[in-house]
Amino acid sequence: MVLTDPVPVAVVLVVAVPAAFVVAYGASELRLASHLLRSRPDSVLETTEGGPVELRGEARPVRGTVEAPFSGADCLACVYEVEEYRSSGKSSSWQTIDSGEEYVPFLVDDGSASVLVEPPGADFRLSRDGRVEVEGGTRPPERIARYIDSDDDIDSQDTSIDLRVFELKTGNDRRFAEYRLDPGSEVHVLGIARHDTTVATRSGQVNAAVGVGEAILDPNRWVRLRHRFVGYPFLISDRSERRLGLKAALVGTASVLAGVGVVAAVLVFLRL
C-alpha cells in the first residue's frame, strides 16, 4: 500500500528513521560481539603488516600520564561523568550533566613486543574505578570542588536558604564517576594498525601504531557514518573478551528488538 496521506508519511519518517539507526547500532554491536567471542588476539609483531588488529596485553606509559579529575590518580585514559538527581512532576531520575575523557598515547605489551596506541577516536569501555556521591547542599571533596569551580557548565550544589529557624538545603544530589585505564593494567584493543618507522622510541617497540581507521576522518559524512556502523571498530577496554562480547550481544539484541518493535507498532497503528 502506498502512503499518500501526509500525516502517516510524517509519522513514518519521524519514527521509522530513528528506529532504523537504533537497529543499525544494534547490528553493529552484534557484529562486535560475534568478533570478540569467536576470535583470538593477534601478536603485536603482526601490527607492522597494517590493517585490522585485535590485541591484548599490559598497558604501559610512553610519554607520561594524565591525572583523573576526581581521584587524582595517574592513568593512561579516563572517562568521567557527573550525574544529578532531578525531579520533574511525579518522576525522578539521575541525569548526566557533564562528561568527558582524557588520555595519552600508550603502549600495549603482549610479551613479544610493544606497540603504540593512539587513543583519539576510540570507543572506551572501561570498568568503573570509583564513584563519589555528594548530598545536595553539602560541599564536595576538595578535588571535586575545584573541578566544579573550573567548569562553567556545572553550578555549585552547595546551596541553601536560611529560614532563620533552620537552613534549607537547595542543591541536588550528585554522583561523580571515573572509568580509568591505569598503567600496568591489562588492556584489550581493537583498531587499525599502520606501519610507521617514526613512532618507535625504545627497545622492543615495533614500527607501527594502532588507532582509528582513516574512513572515520573522511570529509564525506556518509563515508564516516557507514564506517561507524559497518567499519572495523576502534575499541579500548580493560575488560575480558567474554565480558565485552556478552555485554555487546545484550545491548545489540535489545537495540534491534526495540527498533523493530517501534517500526512494527507504527505499521500496526497506520493500519487501524
Side-chain angles (χ1 to χ4, degrees), residues 80-117:
Y80 57 89
E81 64 179 359
V82 181
E83 296 177 292
E84 186 172 83
Y85 195 69
R86 293 180 175 178
S87 300
S88 178
K90 295 182 179 180
S91 63
S92 301
S93 62
W94 288 99
Q95 298 182 22
T96 300
I97 61 173
D98 190 41
S99 62
E101 55 188 37
E102 298 180 8
Y103 46 74
V104 290
F106 63 90
L107 298 174
V108 173
D109 189 332
D110 67 354
S112 64
S114 62
V115 65
L116 180 70
V117 176

mmCIF file of all heavy atoms in Angstrom, residues 80-117:
data_model
loop_
_atom_site.group_PDB
_atom_site.id
_atom_site.type_symbol
_atom_site.label_atom_id
_atom_site.label_comp_id
_atom_site.label_asym_id
_atom_site.label_seq_id
_atom_site.Cartn_x
_atom_site.Cartn_y
_atom_site.Cartn_z
ATOM 1 N N TYR A 80 34.992 10.176 32.452
ATOM 2 C CA TYR A 80 34.325 10.597 33.684
ATOM 3 C C TYR A 80 32.955 11.173 33.368
ATOM 4 O O TYR A 80 32.681 11.617 32.243
ATOM 5 C CB TYR A 80 35.180 11.641 34.427
ATOM 6 C CG TYR A 80 35.512 12.869 33.620
ATOM 7 C CD1 TYR A 80 34.671 13.983 33.620
ATOM 8 C CD2 TYR A 80 36.661 12.924 32.841
ATOM 9 C CE1 TYR A 80 34.964 15.111 32.876
ATOM 10 C CE2 TYR A 80 36.960 14.047 32.091
ATOM 11 C CZ TYR A 80 36.115 15.142 32.113
ATOM 12 O OH TYR A 80 36.404 16.257 31.367
ATOM 13 N N GLU A 81 32.077 11.135 34.368
ATOM 14 C CA GLU A 81 30.746 11.699 34.194
ATOM 15 C C GLU A 81 30.214 12.213 35.516
ATOM 16 O O GLU A 81 30.564 11.708 36.584
ATOM 17 C CB GLU A 81 29.782 10.670 33.600
ATOM 18 C CG GLU A 81 29.509 9.469 34.478
ATOM 19 C CD GLU A 81 28.529 8.497 33.839
ATOM 20 O OE1 GLU A 81 28.054 8.779 32.726
ATOM 21 O OE2 GLU A 81 28.222 7.467 34.474
ATOM 22 N N VAL A 82 29.371 13.234 35.405
ATOM 23 C CA VAL A 82 28.705 13.815 36.573
ATOM 24 C C VAL A 82 27.214 13.651 36.367
ATOM 25 O O VAL A 82 26.657 14.074 35.351
ATOM 26 C CB VAL A 82 29.057 15.311 36.721
ATOM 27 C CG1 VAL A 82 28.373 15.891 37.968
ATOM 28 C CG2 VAL A 82 30.559 15.512 36.793
ATOM 29 N N GLU A 83 26.551 13.021 37.343
ATOM 30 C CA GLU A 83 25.104 12.821 37.287
ATOM 31 C C GLU A 83 24.436 13.617 38.400
ATOM 32 O O GLU A 83 24.991 13.752 39.499
ATOM 33 C CB GLU A 83 24.754 11.350 37.436
ATOM 34 C CG GLU A 83 25.264 10.456 36.326
ATOM 35 C CD GLU A 83 24.950 9.008 36.592
ATOM 36 O OE1 GLU A 83 25.534 8.443 37.535
ATOM 37 O OE2 GLU A 83 24.113 8.436 35.862
ATOM 38 N N GLU A 84 23.249 14.109 38.109
ATOM 39 C CA GLU A 84 22.493 14.872 39.099
ATOM 40 C C GLU A 84 21.098 14.275 39.225
ATOM 41 O O GLU A 84 20.480 13.918 38.217
ATOM 42 C CB GLU A 84 22.407 16.332 38.683
ATOM 43 C CG GLU A 84 21.760 17.239 39.734
ATOM 44 C CD GLU A 84 21.875 18.703 39.349
ATOM 45 O OE1 GLU A 84 21.038 19.180 38.562
ATOM 46 O OE2 GLU A 84 22.807 19.360 39.842
ATOM 47 N N TYR A 85 20.625 14.170 40.466
ATOM 48 C CA TYR A 85 19.302 13.606 40.706
ATOM 49 C C TYR A 85 18.256 14.716 40.591
ATOM 50 O O TYR A 85 18.252 15.677 41.367
ATOM 51 C CB TYR A 85 19.230 12.996 42.101
ATOM 52 C CG TYR A 85 18.035 12.092 42.310
ATOM 53 C CD1 TYR A 85 17.954 10.862 41.657
ATOM 54 C CD2 TYR A 85 16.991 12.467 43.153
ATOM 55 C CE1 TYR A 85 16.862 10.021 41.845
ATOM 56 C CE2 TYR A 85 15.898 11.638 43.338
ATOM 57 C CZ TYR A 85 15.842 10.421 42.681
ATOM 58 O OH TYR A 85 14.753 9.604 42.858
ATOM 59 N N ARG A 86 17.414 14.591 39.562
ATOM 60 C CA ARG A 86 16.441 15.636 39.283
ATOM 61 C C ARG A 86 15.014 15.090 39.334
ATOM 62 O O ARG A 86 14.761 13.939 38.969
ATOM 63 C CB ARG A 86 16.708 16.255 37.907
ATOM 64 C CG ARG A 86 18.023 17.022 37.845
ATOM 65 C CD ARG A 86 18.248 17.628 36.480
ATOM 66 N NE ARG A 86 19.450 18.471 36.435
ATOM 67 C CZ ARG A 86 19.895 19.088 35.366
ATOM 68 N NH1 ARG A 86 19.238 18.941 34.205
ATOM 69 N NH2 ARG A 86 20.987 19.837 35.414
ATOM 70 N N SER A 87 14.119 15.961 39.756
ATOM 71 C CA SER A 87 12.703 15.598 39.838
ATOM 72 C C SER A 87 11.898 16.453 38.879
ATOM 73 O O SER A 87 12.150 17.650 38.721
ATOM 74 C CB SER A 87 12.182 15.797 41.271
ATOM 75 O OG SER A 87 12.897 14.992 42.190
ATOM 76 N N SER A 88 10.931 15.814 38.223
ATOM 77 C CA SER A 88 10.026 16.512 37.320
ATOM 78 C C SER A 88 8.635 15.919 37.504
ATOM 79 O O SER A 88 8.361 14.799 37.081
ATOM 80 C CB SER A 88 10.484 16.352 35.864
ATOM 81 O OG SER A 88 9.585 16.983 34.979
ATOM 82 N N GLY A 89 7.770 16.677 38.177
ATOM 83 C CA GLY A 89 6.439 16.156 38.477
ATOM 84 C C GLY A 89 6.529 15.015 39.468
ATOM 85 O O GLY A 89 7.107 15.148 40.542
ATOM 86 N N LYS A 90 5.989 13.853 39.079
ATOM 87 C CA LYS A 90 5.997 12.690 39.957
ATOM 88 C C LYS A 90 7.187 11.772 39.695
ATOM 89 O O LYS A 90 7.343 10.754 40.378
ATOM 90 C CB LYS A 90 4.702 11.900 39.781
ATOM 91 C CG LYS A 90 3.451 12.661 40.215
ATOM 92 C CD LYS A 90 2.214 11.793 40.060
ATOM 93 C CE LYS A 90 0.959 12.545 40.507
ATOM 94 N NZ LYS A 90 -0.254 11.709 40.363
ATOM 95 N N SER A 91 8.012 12.098 38.719
ATOM 96 C CA SER A 91 9.140 11.229 38.376
ATOM 97 C C SER A 91 10.460 11.870 38.768
ATOM 98 O O SER A 91 10.610 13.095 38.753
ATOM 99 C CB SER A 91 9.137 10.923 36.874
ATOM 100 O OG SER A 91 9.318 12.117 36.122
ATOM 101 N N SER A 92 11.408 11.017 39.129
ATOM 102 C CA SER A 92 12.751 11.450 39.479
ATOM 103 C C SER A 92 13.750 10.487 38.865
ATOM 104 O O SER A 92 13.472 9.286 38.751
ATOM 105 C CB SER A 92 12.936 11.492 41.000
ATOM 106 O OG SER A 92 12.009 12.384 41.598
ATOM 107 N N SER A 93 14.907 11.005 38.471
ATOM 108 C CA SER A 93 15.913 10.138 37.855
ATOM 109 C C SER A 93 17.276 10.812 37.892
ATOM 110 O O SER A 93 17.386 12.029 38.085
ATOM 111 C CB SER A 93 15.531 9.819 36.404
ATOM 112 O OG SER A 93 15.488 11.015 35.630
ATOM 113 N N TRP A 94 18.314 9.995 37.703
ATOM 114 C CA TRP A 94 19.668 10.505 37.585
ATOM 115 C C TRP A 94 19.902 10.928 36.144
ATOM 116 O O TRP A 94 19.652 10.153 35.219
ATOM 117 C CB TRP A 94 20.685 9.443 37.986
ATOM 118 C CG TRP A 94 20.731 9.174 39.456
ATOM 119 C CD1 TRP A 94 20.137 8.148 40.115
ATOM 120 C CD2 TRP A 94 21.416 9.967 40.441
ATOM 121 N NE1 TRP A 94 20.397 8.233 41.457
ATOM 122 C CE2 TRP A 94 21.181 9.336 41.688
ATOM 123 C CE3 TRP A 94 22.193 11.117 40.390
ATOM 124 C CZ2 TRP A 94 21.706 9.844 42.866
ATOM 125 C CZ3 TRP A 94 22.714 11.623 41.570
ATOM 126 C CH2 TRP A 94 22.479 10.990 42.792
ATOM 127 N N GLN A 95 20.389 12.143 35.937
ATOM 128 C CA GLN A 95 20.654 12.665 34.599
ATOM 129 C C GLN A 95 22.108 13.121 34.499
ATOM 130 O O GLN A 95 22.624 13.771 35.406
ATOM 131 C CB GLN A 95 19.722 13.832 34.275
ATOM 132 C CG GLN A 95 18.247 13.467 34.254
ATOM 133 C CD GLN A 95 17.364 14.639 33.878
ATOM 134 O OE1 GLN A 95 17.802 15.592 33.253
ATOM 135 N NE2 GLN A 95 16.101 14.572 34.273
ATOM 136 N N THR A 96 22.757 12.760 33.397
ATOM 137 C CA THR A 96 24.140 13.178 33.178
ATOM 138 C C THR A 96 24.183 14.659 32.819
ATOM 139 O O THR A 96 23.544 15.088 31.864
ATOM 140 C CB THR A 96 24.786 12.353 32.058
ATOM 141 O OG1 THR A 96 24.766 10.963 32.415
ATOM 142 C CG2 THR A 96 26.228 12.795 31.834
ATOM 143 N N ILE A 97 24.930 15.435 33.588
ATOM 144 C CA ILE A 97 25.025 16.872 33.336
ATOM 145 C C ILE A 97 26.401 17.277 32.811
ATOM 146 O O ILE A 97 26.582 18.393 32.342
ATOM 147 C CB ILE A 97 24.689 17.691 34.601
ATOM 148 C CG1 ILE A 97 25.662 17.362 35.735
ATOM 149 C CG2 ILE A 97 23.253 17.438 35.032
ATOM 150 C CD1 ILE A 97 25.496 18.256 36.952
ATOM 151 N N ASP A 98 27.346 16.350 32.880
ATOM 152 C CA ASP A 98 28.670 16.648 32.336
ATOM 153 C C ASP A 98 29.427 15.329 32.173
ATOM 154 O O ASP A 98 29.231 14.380 32.941
ATOM 155 C CB ASP A 98 29.458 17.571 33.262
ATOM 156 C CG ASP A 98 30.728 18.100 32.609
ATOM 157 O OD1 ASP A 98 30.674 18.446 31.414
ATOM 158 O OD2 ASP A 98 31.774 18.152 33.284
ATOM 159 N N SER A 99 30.273 15.268 31.162
ATOM 160 C CA SER A 99 31.079 14.071 30.933
ATOM 161 C C SER A 99 32.263 14.448 30.064
ATOM 162 O O SER A 99 32.289 15.518 29.437
ATOM 163 C CB SER A 99 30.256 12.962 30.262
ATOM 164 O OG SER A 99 29.797 13.389 28.984
ATOM 165 N N GLY A 100 33.233 13.574 30.008
ATOM 166 C CA GLY A 100 34.404 13.835 29.180
ATOM 167 C C GLY A 100 35.382 12.688 29.248
ATOM 168 O O GLY A 100 35.158 11.686 29.941
ATOM 169 N N GLU A 101 36.454 12.819 28.523
ATOM 170 C CA GLU A 101 37.508 11.809 28.532
ATOM 171 C C GLU A 101 38.859 12.482 28.340
ATOM 172 O O GLU A 101 38.970 13.503 27.666
ATOM 173 C CB GLU A 101 37.269 10.763 27.437
ATOM 174 C CG GLU A 101 37.111 11.338 26.046
ATOM 175 C CD GLU A 101 36.677 10.309 25.033
ATOM 176 O OE1 GLU A 101 35.864 9.430 25.381
ATOM 177 O OE2 GLU A 101 37.145 10.374 23.869
ATOM 178 N N GLU A 102 39.864 11.898 28.967
ATOM 179 C CA GLU A 102 41.238 12.376 28.841
ATOM 180 C C GLU A 102 42.129 11.163 28.624
ATOM 181 O O GLU A 102 41.854 10.083 29.145
ATOM 182 C CB GLU A 102 41.669 13.146 30.091
ATOM 183 C CG GLU A 102 40.857 14.403 30.359
ATOM 184 C CD GLU A 102 41.307 15.141 31.611
ATOM 185 O OE1 GLU A 102 42.347 14.731 32.170
ATOM 186 O OE2 GLU A 102 40.633 16.102 32.016
ATOM 187 N N TYR A 103 43.198 11.345 27.843
ATOM 188 C CA TYR A 103 44.061 10.208 27.535
ATOM 189 C C TYR A 103 45.403 10.688 27.015
ATOM 190 O O TYR A 103 45.573 11.860 26.660
ATOM 191 C CB TYR A 103 43.393 9.302 26.491
ATOM 192 C CG TYR A 103 42.795 10.064 25.328
ATOM 193 C CD1 TYR A 103 43.600 10.630 24.336
ATOM 194 C CD2 TYR A 103 41.419 10.253 25.232
ATOM 195 C CE1 TYR A 103 43.059 11.350 23.284
ATOM 196 C CE2 TYR A 103 40.861 10.974 24.184
ATOM 197 C CZ TYR A 103 41.677 11.506 23.214
ATOM 198 O OH TYR A 103 41.145 12.229 22.170
ATOM 199 N N VAL A 104 46.337 9.767 26.983
ATOM 200 C CA VAL A 104 47.640 9.997 26.365
ATOM 201 C C VAL A 104 47.970 8.753 25.545
ATOM 202 O O VAL A 104 47.410 7.682 25.780
ATOM 203 C CB VAL A 104 48.751 10.220 27.422
ATOM 204 C CG1 VAL A 104 48.574 11.547 28.125
ATOM 205 C CG2 VAL A 104 48.777 9.070 28.422
ATOM 206 N N PRO A 105 48.862 8.875 24.550
ATOM 207 C CA PRO A 105 49.317 7.667 23.844
ATOM 208 C C PRO A 105 49.943 6.699 24.848
ATOM 209 O O PRO A 105 50.562 7.118 25.837
ATOM 210 C CB PRO A 105 50.355 8.205 22.855
ATOM 211 C CG PRO A 105 50.011 9.659 22.691
ATOM 212 C CD PRO A 105 49.486 10.100 24.018
ATOM 213 N N PHE A 106 49.794 5.404 24.595
ATOM 214 C CA PHE A 106 50.371 4.406 25.488
ATOM 215 C C PHE A 106 50.795 3.183 24.686
ATOM 216 O O PHE A 106 50.482 3.058 23.495
ATOM 217 C CB PHE A 106 49.390 4.027 26.599
ATOM 218 C CG PHE A 106 48.120 3.380 26.119
ATOM 219 C CD1 PHE A 106 48.028 1.998 25.979
ATOM 220 C CD2 PHE A 106 47.005 4.154 25.809
ATOM 221 C CE1 PHE A 106 46.865 1.403 25.529
ATOM 222 C CE2 PHE A 106 45.823 3.565 25.365
ATOM 223 C CZ PHE A 106 45.755 2.186 25.232
ATOM 224 N N LEU A 107 51.522 2.284 25.346
ATOM 225 C CA LEU A 107 51.987 1.066 24.705
ATOM 226 C C LEU A 107 51.168 -0.133 25.165
ATOM 227 O O LEU A 107 50.726 -0.179 26.314
ATOM 228 C CB LEU A 107 53.464 0.814 25.041
ATOM 229 C CG LEU A 107 54.480 1.861 24.572
ATOM 230 C CD1 LEU A 107 55.866 1.515 25.113
ATOM 231 C CD2 LEU A 107 54.511 1.954 23.063
ATOM 232 N N VAL A 108 50.982 -1.083 24.264
ATOM 233 C CA VAL A 108 50.431 -2.386 24.620
ATOM 234 C C VAL A 108 51.551 -3.400 24.448
ATOM 235 O O VAL A 108 52.119 -3.533 23.357
ATOM 236 C CB VAL A 108 49.238 -2.777 23.736
ATOM 237 C CG1 VAL A 108 48.802 -4.207 24.032
ATOM 238 C CG2 VAL A 108 48.075 -1.826 23.964
ATOM 239 N N ASP A 109 51.882 -4.101 25.534
ATOM 240 C CA ASP A 109 52.955 -5.097 25.517
ATOM 241 C C ASP A 109 52.334 -6.469 25.760
ATOM 242 O O ASP A 109 51.761 -6.722 26.825
ATOM 243 C CB ASP A 109 53.970 -4.766 26.603
ATOM 244 C CG ASP A 109 55.231 -5.611 26.516
ATOM 245 O OD1 ASP A 109 55.150 -6.755 26.024
ATOM 246 O OD2 ASP A 109 56.303 -5.144 26.930
ATOM 247 N N ASP A 110 52.431 -7.352 24.754
ATOM 248 C CA ASP A 110 51.844 -8.684 24.906
ATOM 249 C C ASP A 110 52.881 -9.755 25.235
ATOM 250 O O ASP A 110 52.613 -10.954 25.166
ATOM 251 C CB ASP A 110 51.072 -9.082 23.644
ATOM 252 C CG ASP A 110 51.973 -9.292 22.434
ATOM 253 O OD1 ASP A 110 53.196 -9.022 22.537
ATOM 254 O OD2 ASP A 110 51.459 -9.725 21.384
ATOM 255 N N GLY A 111 54.082 -9.313 25.587
ATOM 256 C CA GLY A 111 55.140 -10.254 25.939
ATOM 257 C C GLY A 111 56.104 -10.506 24.802
ATOM 258 O O GLY A 111 57.268 -10.877 25.038
ATOM 259 N N SER A 112 55.650 -10.309 23.573
ATOM 260 C CA SER A 112 56.536 -10.494 22.418
ATOM 261 C C SER A 112 57.178 -9.176 22.013
ATOM 262 O O SER A 112 58.310 -9.138 21.553
ATOM 263 C CB SER A 112 55.752 -11.075 21.237
ATOM 264 O OG SER A 112 54.745 -10.163 20.796
ATOM 265 N N ALA A 113 56.424 -8.089 22.179
ATOM 266 C CA ALA A 113 56.884 -6.743 21.826
ATOM 267 C C ALA A 113 55.815 -5.761 22.293
ATOM 268 O O ALA A 113 54.773 -6.156 22.833
ATOM 269 C CB ALA A 113 57.131 -6.623 20.323
ATOM 270 N N SER A 114 56.067 -4.489 22.064
ATOM 271 C CA SER A 114 55.081 -3.466 22.415
ATOM 272 C C SER A 114 54.785 -2.621 21.184
ATOM 273 O O SER A 114 55.619 -2.489 20.286
ATOM 274 C CB SER A 114 55.574 -2.579 23.560
ATOM 275 O OG SER A 114 56.750 -1.878 23.185
ATOM 276 N N VAL A 115 53.575 -2.037 21.152
ATOM 277 C CA VAL A 115 53.166 -1.201 20.038
ATOM 278 C C VAL A 115 52.446 0.029 20.573
ATOM 279 O O VAL A 115 51.778 -0.030 21.608
ATOM 280 C CB VAL A 115 52.246 -1.979 19.059
ATOM 281 C CG1 VAL A 115 50.933 -2.365 19.729
ATOM 282 C CG2 VAL A 115 51.990 -1.175 17.787
ATOM 283 N N LEU A 116 52.599 1.136 19.862
ATOM 284 C CA LEU A 116 51.978 2.389 20.269
ATOM 285 C C LEU A 116 50.486 2.381 19.934
ATOM 286 O O LEU A 116 50.088 1.985 18.834
ATOM 287 C CB LEU A 116 52.658 3.552 19.549
ATOM 288 C CG LEU A 116 52.124 4.955 19.874
ATOM 289 C CD1 LEU A 116 52.499 5.342 21.303
ATOM 290 C CD2 LEU A 116 52.681 5.980 18.884
ATOM 291 N N VAL A 117 49.673 2.840 20.874
ATOM 292 C CA VAL A 117 48.236 3.030 20.653
ATOM 293 C C VAL A 117 47.943 4.527 20.738
ATOM 294 O O VAL A 117 48.325 5.183 21.709
ATOM 295 C CB VAL A 117 47.392 2.263 21.691
ATOM 296 C CG1 VAL A 117 45.905 2.562 21.491
ATOM 297 C CG2 VAL A 117 47.642 0.768 21.584
#
